[in-house]
Each structure stands twice: as C-alpha cells, then as structure tokens.
Amino acid sequence: MNQRTRIKICGLTREADVLAAVEAGADAIGFVMYAKSPRYVSPARAAELARLLPPFVMPVGLFVNATDAELAEGLAALPNMLLQFHGDESPEACNRVGRPYLRAARVTADFDLLDYAQQYSAAQAILLDAHVDGYGGGGKVFDWSLIPRNVRSPVVLSGGLHAGNVLTGITQLRPWAVDVSSGVEAEAKGFKCATLMRQFCAAVRQADALLAEADVNQPD
C-alpha cells in the first residue's frame, strides 16, 4: 500500500512564509545556507525561522561544499536539523559529520542512480534534481523516465515541481518525498506564495489518494 508522500518546501527566508508552509501541510522546511544562493539565510537567521516550526516538522539545512567550520556553525545554531548536501561532497565527507543527511543528485542521461545510491548508502534519502550550471536545479524538470524502479534508497523528487505537475511525478515515480522551491514562488526567489504552497500540498494529497485507490483496486 502506498504511504503518504512527504513534502519539503525549501528556500524560505520569511516568518510569514514558514507559518504558511506549515499550515499548508509541509513536513519539512529547507533553509539554504549557501552564501551564493539568492535564498541564502545565515545559520542565526535559520534558527530564528526554525523556532516557528511545530513538533514533527523538520528543519533541513542545505549546504554546498561547506567547510567543517560552516557545518559546525550551522549545527550549533540548529542542532536538530537534517543536513542536505547539494555540492560535490564525497561519501566520506558526508559521513564524517556523523549526522543524518540527504544527498542531492543531479540527473543526466548517463547518470547511474543505482551506483550513486550505493555510494551514499548512509544517506537518509537521495534527492533527485535537474543538472544545470552551478548548484541546484534552477527550477528545471529532468526526464523522470531516467529513474529506475529498483533504487534501494528512499527517493526525494525535486527539480521544477509545482502544483500542475507534482501529481504526475508522484503517480509515475512514487517517491518517498517531494521537494519544491521555485514552484511556490510568485515574486522574487526566497519569497514564497501561501496560495501556491496550499495548491502544491493539495496536489500531493490528491496524488496520494489516487495511488491509495489504485492499490485497493488491484486484483489479489
């Protein structure tokens, strides 16, 4: 039977957006601690925003090729956050921190996800994003048909998701979670739209309902 798809909304910078994301139904809130990102927040600012989160909504800290000192600063500010490595970090670098983490993968036609998941077998999940210049998916959708069905690690679908396509992504791939950023922004990067977040979360729940119905109707 299909389980509920978790929802991560990433790149939040404002108190009102954090509250709206939680109200919409987000399971995790992502804070970008990569200084070159337009959605960057400092560890201290991320900690301020995370204080608004109720129990069982997870703060996630996104890092790109961070130094040990930068990681330590982030963890000191937000000791309970889940790490997300979105750069060129090796398995050894990710594991050395000794904390639960997500590992982002940039999907291309020749990308071997099965091998990648094996290399990062200690990751809580593999986050699948589009391959663009720089780091992050740039709001682009990649070819979902490239994803094999027999990945042992939980998969987080990301890259260009919005309320209009997330239902298809979930019903096609059945990921453990979905991750959205630009797809719920109506203004500048880092400024989320409460309406778009509600629509996105509602589309995820609709996809789950369709999958649950399909599972029930499967022949024995």
Side-chain angles (χ1 to χ4, degrees):
M1 299 292 290
N2 186 65
Q3 296 185 356
R4 181 175 66 86
T5 305
R6 272 62 175 179
I7 301 170
K8 173 175 172 277
I9 299 180
C10 193
L12 282 80
T13 62
R14 303 185 298 184
E15 285 83 352
D17 294 345
V18 172
L19 295 173
V22 170
E23 183 179 0
D27 299 284
I29 302 298
F31 301 113
V32 179
M33 299 187 205
Y34 174 51
K36 294 182 180 180
S37 170
R39 301 180 180 94
Y40 169 75
V41 291
S42 68
R45 177 60 176 156
E48 289 178 355
L49 295 169
R51 292 190 188 102
L52 301 173
L53 299 179
F56 308 116
V57 176
M58 172 70 69
V60 181
L62 186 156
F63 294 88
V64 176
N65 301 330
T67 65
D68 290 345
E70 289 169 337
L71 289 169
E73 182 184 5
L75 287 168
L78 266 175
N80 64 327
M81 73 175 167
L82 178 67
L83 299 175
Q84 179 177 326
F85 292 111
H86 224 288
D88 306 307
E89 298 88 355
S90 67
E92 294 74 22
C94 294
N95 297 337
R96 186 173 65 243
V97 183
R99 296 294 301 272
Y101 68 90
L102 307 175
R103 183 65 176 102
R106 301 162 67 179
V107 179
T108 60
D110 58 355
F111 176 70
D112 188 340
L113 178 56
L114 297 180
D115 179 67
Y116 193 86
Q118 178 62 36
Q119 291 183 51
Y120 293 92
S121 59
Q124 300 290 299
I126 303 297
L127 186 146
L128 306 178
D129 210 346
H131 190 284
V132 297
D133 291 338
Y135 298 98
K140 304 296 184 181
V141 178
F142 64 89
D143 183 355
W144 295 337
S145 69
L146 297 172
I147 305 307
R149 297 286 183 175
N150 55 337
V151 184
R152 292 189 176 183
S153 300
V155 167
V156 180
L157 180 61
S158 184
L161 293 179
H162 52 75
N165 65 6
V166 70
L167 185 150
T168 301
I170 291 172
T171 54
Q172 180 175 323
L173 296 178
R174 295 197 175 205
W176 180 77
V178 291
D179 182 14
V180 64
S181 184
S182 61
V184 292
E185 292 174 343
E187 303 175 48
K189 293 181 178 179
F191 290 71
K192 307 305 183 186
C193 172
T195 299
L196 292 178
M197 288 191 285
R198 286 195 300 270
Q199 292 173 347
F200 183 86
C201 293
V204 174
R205 298 285 79 87
Q206 182 183 0
D208 284 350
L210 290 173
L211 288 175
E213 182 180 359
D215 286 339
V216 168
N217 292 330
Q218 280 186 352
D220 294 333

